Amino acid sequence: MVDQNVVERIKQDLGSSDVVLYMKGTPVFPQCGFSAAVVQVLSHVGVPFKGVNILEEPGLRQGLKEFSNWPTFPQLYVKGELVGGCDIVREMYESGELQSLLTEKGVATGVNA
């Protein structure tokens, strides 16, 4: 069962920004290739996002796996909903689906700002 403090922290993160990326490292210094790839996609699309370094908080890392029912990182959320990890985000970007999702959710990007 997920610690209630962790759930509140996740809800606070998701409520504070339209786009949240739970990742290994930071957007400026990603500490794994998958996190770096998602940062690159988001930067290319021009969407502002909040990066949360799960390596600094083991409880958050484990809690997110249970909260999202998604075992791996990075995890991208748009308007509080899990989009997916690196492969899904990359595929959605390449097909144009990610840009469409952001537009549908009312998230400004460098493309539609």
Side-chain angles (χ1 to χ4, degrees):
M1 179 121 193
V2 184
D3 181 313
Q4 203 54 38
N5 292 330
V6 172
V7 170
E8 289 306 314
R9 160 70 195 278
I10 294 167
K11 287 180 179 179
Q12 185 177 19
D13 286 342
L14 298 179
S16 70
S17 183
D18 287 344
V19 181
V20 178
L21 179 63
Y22 289 99
M23 60 183 292
K24 294 179 180 176
T26 65
V28 174
F29 189 66
Q31 294 184 7
C32 88
F34 299 114
S35 292
V38 175
V39 167
Q40 186 176 25
V41 165
L42 294 174
S43 297
H44 192 276
V45 172
V47 64
F49 66 96
K50 176 180 183 170
V52 180
N53 184 356
I54 53 120
L55 297 177
E56 292 179 346
E57 299 179 55
L60 178 62
R61 182 179 184 173
Q62 185 57 41
L64 267 164
K65 290 179 181 183
E66 296 172 31
F67 177 85
S68 65
N69 199 25
W70 192 267
T72 60
F73 293 94
Q75 293 182 8
L76 179 66
Y77 289 79
V78 174
K79 295 279 188 162
E81 293 181 27
L82 177 66
V83 174
C86 181
D87 290 343
I88 290 171
V89 171
R90 195 179 333 200
E91 288 171 15
M92 288 178 71
Y93 168 71
E94 289 171 358
S95 72
E97 226 180 314
L98 180 62
Q99 298 86 322
S100 296
L101 173 72
L102 293 167
T103 301
E104 287 169 18
K105 297 281 187 178
V107 177
T109 67
V111 178
N112 63 12

